[in-house]
Amino acid sequence: MQTGSVTTPFGRRPVTLALVRRQAALAEIKQGKVADKWKVFRDASAAMDVLGVQSNSLAVLDALLSFYPDNELRQDAKLIVFPSNTQLALRAHGMAGATLRRHIAFLVEAGLIIRKDSANGKRYARRDGAGEIESAFGFDLSPLLARSEELAVMAQQVMTDRAMLRKAKESLTICRRDVRKLITAAMEEGADGDWRVIEAMYIGLVARIPRSPTLSDISAVLDEMQLLQEEIVNRLDIQGNSEKNSTNGAHIERHIQNSKPESLNEFEPSSEKEQRVKLDETSRPMSAPIKPFPLGTVLKACPAIADYGPDGAIGSWRELMSAAVVVRSMLGVSPAAYQDACATMGPENAAVVIACILERANFINSAGGYLRALTRRTERGEFSLGPMIIALLKASGLAPLKAG
């Protein structure tokens, strides 16, 4: 690019094609255009990082604007100010001469002001017989008027980005805290799993956060931190509290034991049609045992759960329990409620209850509250799965199967 130079009180400065283009653009300011000079200054201050200027540069711009007598920048007015070096330095908070020259150059490079030099490089104004300014040499503020809309858009975008960055930082802080608590709790309670490796992953993610992060930096770490949180929660949900139930013979045989029958009021049908689904088991005495139901019978009673298994099918109790974790989240059941159910009923029984709730989701207002109610009844020995499974088989037109 061809450049030349001119001598000014501030030394020799380059004249580039970019500066020439900016000066030519001033002639294209819309006729009658007006802008509040302090509003434009605030927009430029908000967009200082985008414009590539510093706070001292803004101090110089503020001083230059203070020499312009009106509050409005007008297209049909003389927008040139011509303070002396001493006056400009004083209004720029006593800024040293070398610093002043450097930041004026920044303002020119950013396209916020233009130098209009006299033949001898001095800054002054020539007035006519009526005392009106006829011509002036100094600093032209026209670029601020020409770019007023552009600067306003820049400022708005900067404010939006700052708000998004603030929200992202808050979300990451909360997520970091929750993940740290989950890892600490799992390690202190001796939960199964290589928690040292997971902790190392967490530490690695935290170490990737820069000292002065951008929105993209925070968003990338937040996405991975949320995935880590979901993985930890899923692991803990699947594990439940199976150690408490490891001595239960029925669990070892992967069958659901139903030692006590009960009425089907557990589902609280909302219509007379649903009430007709109840079976004669509602009148069965509490002491009569219910034989275990195999996995095949559970899947016939609750076919919807199969959609959440691997490849849309469930072939084992482990796959049923994994599918129940997914359905639990979908139904809005909290991890704590499901963990309580696993601890009280056993992981398999809790998974079957989730499958049953899924079948009757349209008739249950709060799946989480309903599961907690069943958990409390199980603790009191007042709930068993038999009548629930049989009712669902009846509703689907299938006769209940007998255990061999």
Side-chain angles (χ1 to χ4, degrees):
M1 178 182 294
Q2 295 293 327
T3 63
S5 64
V6 296
T7 302
T8 72
F10 294 142
R12 295 180 63 83
R13 62 177 177 82
V15 177
T16 65
L17 291 178
L19 291 175
V20 174
R21 292 192 194 98
R22 288 172 190 161
Q23 290 180 359
L26 298 182
E28 301 177 2
I29 298 177
K30 184 179 178 181
Q31 189 73 22
K33 184 175 182 180
V34 178
D36 184 288
K37 68 178 183 181
W38 298 120
K39 169 65 168 58
V40 178
F41 175 75
R42 288 194 296 272
D43 290 339
S45 298
M48 58 182 289
D49 292 335
V50 181
L51 293 168
V53 297
Q54 304 171 9
S55 57
N56 280 346
S57 306
L58 295 174
V60 174
L61 182 60
D62 182 33
L64 288 172
L65 286 170
S66 71
F67 285 103
Y68 186 72
D70 299 328
N71 282 332
E72 289 185 337
L73 303 174
R74 306 179 62 86
Q75 177 268 336
D76 57 357
K78 298 288 185 180
L79 298 179
I80 298 174
V81 292
F82 38 89
S84 67
N85 293 347
T86 302
Q87 290 174 322
L88 186 56
L90 286 174
R91 292 200 188 183
H93 312 297
M95 189 176 295
T99 304
L100 189 67
R101 289 193 294 272
R102 184 169 67 254
H103 289 288
I104 287 177
F106 289 158
L107 293 174
V108 172
E109 182 64 26
L112 297 177
I113 62 172
I114 292 178
R115 287 189 178 96
K116 187 174 181 181
D117 297 321
S118 65
N120 61 6
K122 300 292 185 180
R123 296 192 296 275
Y124 63 90
R126 183 180 292 116
R127 301 178 184 273
D128 59 19
E132 297 293 331
I133 295 178
E134 186 176 52
S135 60
F137 301 93
F139 300 105
D140 191 348
L141 304 177
S142 297
L144 294 174
L145 177 61
R147 301 180 65 187
S148 59
E149 295 91 346
E150 178 191 355
L151 293 172
V153 172
M154 284 185 183
Q156 183 61 44
Q157 185 60 52
V158 168
M159 299 305 293
T160 300
D161 291 345
R162 286 177 182 172
M164 293 176 64
L165 178 60
R166 183 174 62 253
K167 291 180 180 179
K169 284 182 175 179
E170 291 174 354
S171 298
L172 179 57
T173 299
I174 294 172
C175 191
R176 282 179 59 183
R177 180 189 62 201
D178 292 344
V179 169
R180 178 71 268 178
K181 287 182 178 179
L182 286 170
I183 293 174
T184 301
M187 296 174 72
E188 290 179 351
E189 296 179 13
D192 291 338
D194 196 344
W195 296 104
R196 291 295 179 188
V197 173
I198 294 177
E199 183 179 40
M201 293 171 61
Y202 166 79
I203 294 173
L205 284 176
V206 174
R208 284 173 48 191
I209 304 174
R211 183 179 297 274
S212 299
T214 64
L215 179 60
S216 60
D217 294 331
I218 294 295
S219 297
V221 176
L222 177 59
D223 287 343
E224 294 190 43
M225 191 69 73
Q226 289 175 335
L227 289 174
L228 181 61
Q229 182 183 26
E230 291 176 6
E231 174 65 20
I232 294 171
V233 171
N234 286 339
R235 289 190 184 196
L236 295 175
D237 281 347
I238 292 174
Q239 287 181 30
N241 195 11
S242 58
E243 292 183 1
K244 287 187 177 181
N245 304 282
S246 60
T247 58
N248 191 324
H251 295 159
I252 295 174
E253 297 174 4
R254 314 302 267 175
H255 285 156
I256 300 176
Q257 298 293 338
N258 297 286
S259 61
K260 295 181 182 180
E262 70 160 298
S263 83
L264 295 186
N265 286 335
E266 294 296 340
F267 271 105
E268 294 294 331
S270 59
S271 66
E272 293 183 1
K273 181 178 179 180
E274 286 294 314
Q275 292 284 358
R276 288 197 293 272
V277 173
K278 293 185 177 182
L279 303 176
D280 292 337
E281 282 78 5
T282 58
S283 60
R284 189 189 296 265
M286 292 296 289
S287 59
I290 296 293
K291 294 182 178 181
F293 287 89
L295 177 62
T297 301
V298 173
L299 295 177
K300 286 183 179 180
C302 310
I305 193 72
D307 293 337
Y308 301 90
D311 300 322
I314 291 176
S316 67
W317 282 103
R318 179 175 296 277
E319 291 179 356
L320 176 65
M321 289 187 288
S322 296
V325 171
V326 177
V327 173
R328 182 273 305 166
S329 178
M330 184 190 71
L331 292 175
V333 176
S334 68
Y338 189 58
Q339 276 193 307
D340 289 345
C342 288
T344 303
M345 304 176 183
E348 294 89 345
N349 287 8
V352 174
V353 170
I354 290 293
C356 292
I357 292 176
L358 178 63
E359 290 295 322
R360 286 292 179 266
N362 291 337
F363 302 100
I364 299 174
N365 292 329
S366 172
Y370 183 62
L371 180 63
R372 287 192 181 277
L374 295 185
T375 301
R376 289 194 295 270
R377 297 192 66 173
T378 301
E379 291 173 347
R380 298 194 300 265
E382 299 175 356
F383 171 69
S384 65
L385 284 168
M388 184 180 288
I389 295 295
I390 294 173
L392 291 173
L393 287 170
K394 270 286 191 179
S396 62
L398 299 173
L401 301 178
K402 296 181 179 180

